[in-house]
Amino acid sequence: MATNEPTPTIDFIREIINRDNETGKYGGRVATRFPPEPNGYLHIGHTKSICLNYGIACQYHGTFNLRFDDTNPSKEEQEYVDSIKEDIRWLGADWEDRLYFASDYFEQLYDYAVQLIKKGKAYVCDLSPDEIREYRGTLTEPGRESPYRNRSIEENLDLFERMRQGEFPDGSRVLRAKIDMASGNLNMRDPAIYRIKHAEHHRTGGKWCIYPMYDFTHCLSDSIERITHSICTLEFEDHRPLYDWFLDELGVYHPRQIEFARLNLTYTVMSKRKLLQLVQEGHVSGWDDPRMPTVAGLRRRGYTPEAIRNFATRVGVAKRDSTVDIALLEHCLREDLNLRATRVMAVLRPLKVVIDNYPDGQIEQVEAVNNPEDPGMGTRMIPFSKTIYIEQDDFMEDPPKKFFRLAPGREVRLKHAYYITCADVVKDASGNVVEVHCTYDPASRGGGTPDGREVKGTLHWVSAAQAIPVEIRLYDHLFTKEDPGEDGGDFRTLLNPHSLEVLTGCLAEPSLAEARPGRPYQFLRQGYFCADSGDSRPDHLVFNRTVPLRDSWAKIQKAAK
Ligand code: ATP
Ligand code: MG
């Protein structure tokens, strides 16, 4: 990843790797992987894992694999595989030629299962799923042994082979590891390792009707790929003894598993099941709805890979679960966009202004700096004329004392152009101001102070004849509560009804006709925006507000000092 990004501090994972390198545990080799299940789109939580695994591989000159853990044929689809690859590439992580699928290992995994049977360490069980659950016991009560637990090796081999041949219906039998029904760890109470599922798999088609369980597949896939540090989230800590058991019983290469806390963010949900529900029930327009915490949604909203990577680094890795304030993510985004966004002018809710003493029919070009943070981005010319539009909010007929924008008799600066003073207003039948009349001071061209007189307000504007109409979509948090996933109630009742506000009839300066998705803009005083990759067309431009300008994270930090 780019070198101008903050270097990760030495966290507990890197400490472990350093120690392993010192002792030569893996011969100094570092091999990581990102193992998504292709049953949904990637979200911001996954990016933490990707940045961590890929970042470590880069830092230690090791390798990074992308492996799809595709063991559940009924929930997995090619669409998800494609989107996951696209999102990881966009983020900037590179698996080079190491793209793997657990389904590529099905034959090998089957052999491993046969080996366990031959060792007397696995058996075919005919209990129904309900009975298995009942026999498992609880956290306080030990489980009971299955009546099928002591089948002979020969019988088990025969039944397992016939399971594979498709002789038995779904759910009628499973292959279970023979471990310990009294273990304090429920994962060790003879877990299922193969189940019957007559379903087409997105890659192996109809070849298999038995599928290995996730726990069996995951640790053995890491072993097959000779992963050195198998980094996963905390909920797998309790599965580690089971993974150790599989690897040791089979006597195969043993990666070191390290657990870290998953990322949670305020005002959103991160469970794929819930995200899928939002999509399927139409609460959002799709996986890439700009309000979604998915990588596709963030990209469409105007997030940059740099901002997300920087966020992942700043959040760091911890051993305890916590929830990160979404304001920190937005802060990282603003920091990045501030450096790269072209400053332009667009009026969201237009109010017509006529400059009475400006020559009729005259159009002049005023010069505007593209980005004060980066002189290399140059300048451009913007048309100015007698009739312009300003923001409705920037005018008040009867303003309070602290209002420094336009009002009768008041003078303001038009950014890049002139000073204007409000002379008069025109109202419609119901008394609303529909047009403001002003005079301008020709000596104030460029927005500088002609005679040192003070003008407090600076307004953005567009020239009426050259402005282009655009649709603008403003976003707010998807949920009204900080922790919509927490209280166990229906998270959908906490959806924010105002998470999307569509403004039509907005007007933008002509240069925005060139806007393409992926290119960031700052609309002066309104925030960062980008053309919408889904709906924006040359004859109907649509802009998403990526994030407003006001940085609540910076404010929180300041208050804390
Ligand atoms: P599922 O409930 O479907 O298993 P998942 O979010 O765990 O959902 P996976 O596809 O299994 O999805 O995740 C791939 C990898 O991303 C895993 O290694 C997982 O630990 C990691 N991951 C998932 N969610 C987060 C998160 N919120 N923060 C950090 N890592 C995550
Ligand atoms: Mg998972």
Side-chain angles (χ1 to χ4, degrees):
M1 293 186 191
T3 45
N4 59 355
E5 289 170 30
T7 15
T9 45
I10 297 291
D11 49 55
F12 75 96
I13 297 180
R14 288 172 169 89
E15 268 172 16
I16 294 173
I17 296 174
N18 287 344
R19 245 179 286 133
D20 286 347
N21 284 347
E22 278 160 25
T23 62
K25 185 167 182 203
Y26 297 103
R29 202 168 57 87
V30 173
T32 63
R33 84 290 177 259
F34 176 64
E37 194 187 338
N39 61 354
Y41 279 57
L42 295 183
H43 54 59
I44 183 80
H46 293 114
T47 69
K48 177 173 171 176
S49 173
I50 296 165
C51 293
L52 181 61
N53 281 291
Y54 182 63
I56 285 174
C58 290
Q59 188 180 341
Y60 291 92
H61 307 290
T63 52
F64 167 78
N65 296 359
L66 170 59
R67 181 184 69 244
F68 287 95
D69 269 343
D70 53 350
T71 54
N72 186 352
S74 54
K75 287 195 177 154
E76 294 160 5
E77 287 170 30
Q78 188 60 37
E79 178 196 348
Y80 298 137
V81 172
D82 295 339
S83 76
I84 289 169
K85 284 162 69 178
E86 184 187 353
D87 290 348
I88 297 174
R89 257 191 228 112
W90 177 79
L91 255 185
D94 186 359
W95 61 87
E96 297 171 359
D97 57 351
R98 291 176 304 275
L99 169 64
Y100 303 114
F101 292 84
S103 54
D104 291 342
Y105 310 140
F106 279 174
E107 200 64 56
Q108 168 85 66
L109 293 168
Y110 181 82
D111 287 345
Y112 282 146
V114 170
Q115 280 181 46
L116 287 179
I117 296 173
K118 286 182 175 163
K119 277 189 83 179
K121 298 290 183 180
Y123 62 97
V124 173
C125 179
D126 302 354
L127 291 178
S128 70
D130 282 342
E131 287 166 332
I132 289 185
R133 215 166 298 128
E134 194 200 314
Y135 274 66
R136 186 179 296 135
T138 64
L139 282 172
T140 49
E141 276 169 53
R144 277 179 295 144
E145 295 191 348
S146 160
Y148 304 98
R149 199 172 197 260
N150 295 313
R151 274 181 162 147
S152 69
I153 290 174
E154 291 65 37
E155 189 183 4
N156 280 319
L157 285 173
D158 174 62
L159 284 172
F160 188 46
E161 168 65 23
R162 287 162 61 197
M163 279 169 63
R164 178 179 184 168
Q165 297 311 326
E167 275 189 39
F168 312 120
D170 288 6
S172 59
R173 290 191 155 94
V174 288
L175 182 72
R176 298 175 71 176
K178 194 170 179 177
I179 311 180
D180 178 8
M181 288 308 292
S183 172
N185 183 341
L186 284 130
N187 293 310
M188 302 297 275
R189 294 186 186 170
D190 291 10
I193 57 181
Y194 263 90
R195 58 181 163 162
I196 303 171
K197 201 161 185 133
H198 293 265
E200 288 273 316
H201 185 277
H202 73 112
R203 296 192 81 240
T204 57
K207 180 168 182 216
W208 294 87
C209 63
I210 55 171
Y211 290 94
M213 300 301 286
Y214 178 86
D215 277 341
F216 185 66
T217 310
H218 182 76
C219 58
L220 288 166
S221 300
D222 278 350
S223 169
I224 291 168
E225 291 177 16
R226 303 187 72 76
I227 298 302
T228 55
H229 299 87
S230 173
I231 300 168
C232 60
T233 37
L234 283 181
E235 70 272 23
F236 292 103
E237 200 165 5
D238 288 347
H239 297 238
R240 180 152 34 98
L242 176 59
Y243 297 169
D244 289 342
W245 188 90
F246 286 136
L247 296 167
D248 294 343
E249 288 297 338
L250 289 164
V252 293
Y253 170 86
H254 200 140
R256 179 201 276 271
Q257 174 166 313
I258 309 170
E259 303 88 9
F260 72 100
R262 46 172 65 224
L263 172 73
N264 297 301
L265 262 192
T266 55
Y267 296 105
T268 193
V269 292
M270 218 84 96
S271 135
K272 277 196 273 189
R273 185 180 54 79
K274 288 179 181 166
L275 294 175
L276 179 65
Q277 216 175 339
L278 292 177
V279 172
Q280 286 180 338
E281 293 173 6
H283 301 292
V284 294
S285 64
W287 284 100
D288 69 345
D289 185 302
R291 292 166 293 179
M292 290 281 272
T294 52
V295 175
L298 295 169
R299 176 169 59 234
R300 183 167 170 188
R301 174 91 166 248
Y303 274 72
T304 59
E306 291 84 356
I308 295 175
R309 297 201 301 253
N310 188 359
F311 171 71
T313 305
R314 284 172 78 155
V315 167
V317 287
K319 264 285 183 198
R320 288 251 308 277
D321 274 319
S322 66
T323 301
V324 175
D325 193 329
I326 198 165
L328 174 61
L329 175 62
E330 294 179 344
H331 173 76
C332 294
L333 178 62
R334 285 188 193 95
E335 260 183 5
D336 186 52
L337 293 177
N338 181 42
L339 299 177
R340 62 178 82 233
T342 306
R343 273 58 170 175
V344 294
M345 295 197 286
V347 174
L348 274 50
R349 299 171 182 88
L351 172 64
K352 188 174 176 183
V353 173
V354 180
I355 302 167
D356 294 325
N357 62 338
Y358 193 85
D360 286 333
Q362 177 172 311
I363 300 166
E364 65 183 296
Q365 302 289 331
V366 296
E367 189 175 30
V369 172
N370 285 330
N371 186 349
E373 301 287 329
D374 181 0
M377 287 174 70
T379 60
R380 70 185 184 290
M381 303 309 282
I382 310 173
F384 182 81
S385 65
K386 186 182 181 82
T387 306
I388 62 169
Y389 285 94
I390 64 168
E391 214 64 69
Q392 286 170 18
D393 275 359
D394 283 339
F395 177 82
M396 274 183 97
E397 198 184 5
D398 191 13
K401 249 208 162 97
K402 287 262 160 89
F403 186 83
F404 297 120
R405 293 167 266 168
L406 198 60
R410 297 257 185 104
E411 186 172 44
V412 295
R413 178 191 290 112
L414 293 176
K415 184 76 177 173
H416 306 307
Y418 293 99
Y419 285 14
I420 55 168
T421 304
C422 172
D424 199 4
V425 297
V426 177
K427 294 181 182 179
D428 65 10
S430 31
N432 302 310
V433 175
V434 290
E435 197 173 301
V436 176
H437 284 257
C438 292
T439 56
Y440 86 117
D441 177 357
S444 63
R445 191 173 197 276
T449 2
D451 52 10
R453 70 178 185 270
E454 209 185 320
V455 170
K456 281 207 169 132
T458 300
L459 309 188
H460 61 276
W461 51 274
V462 293
S463 172
Q466 295 81 21
I468 51 174
V470 298
E471 176 182 322
I472 287 179
R473 299 175 182 171
L474 303 177
Y475 301 100
D476 195 357
H477 300 319
L478 189 49
F479 291 93
T480 52
K481 262 191 71 186
E482 271 193 27
D483 55 349
E486 290 304 282
D487 60 4
D490 187 347
F491 73 105
R492 293 166 302 178
T493 61
L494 302 171
L495 278 163
N496 178 4
H498 308 295
S499 59
L500 169 64
E501 185 183 357
V502 178
L503 301 178
T504 53
C506 313
L507 295 168
E509 64 167 77
S511 71
L512 281 169
E514 309 293 316
R516 296 290 171 269
R519 173 155 179 207
Y521 291 93
Q522 185 191 103
F523 289 8
L524 289 183
R525 301 169 67 221
Q526 298 290 3
Y528 293 101
F529 291 75
C530 69
D532 182 65
S533 57
D535 299 331
S536 194
R537 294 184 308 274
D539 61 343
H540 180 83
L541 293 163
V542 179
F543 286 89
N544 294 318
R545 179 154 73 186
T546 309
V547 68
L549 291 175
R550 203 175 62 93
D551 189 340
S552 54
W553 180 256
K555 240 175 122 180
I556 295 166
Q557 295 309 98
K558 224 170 149 186
K561 276 187 187 145

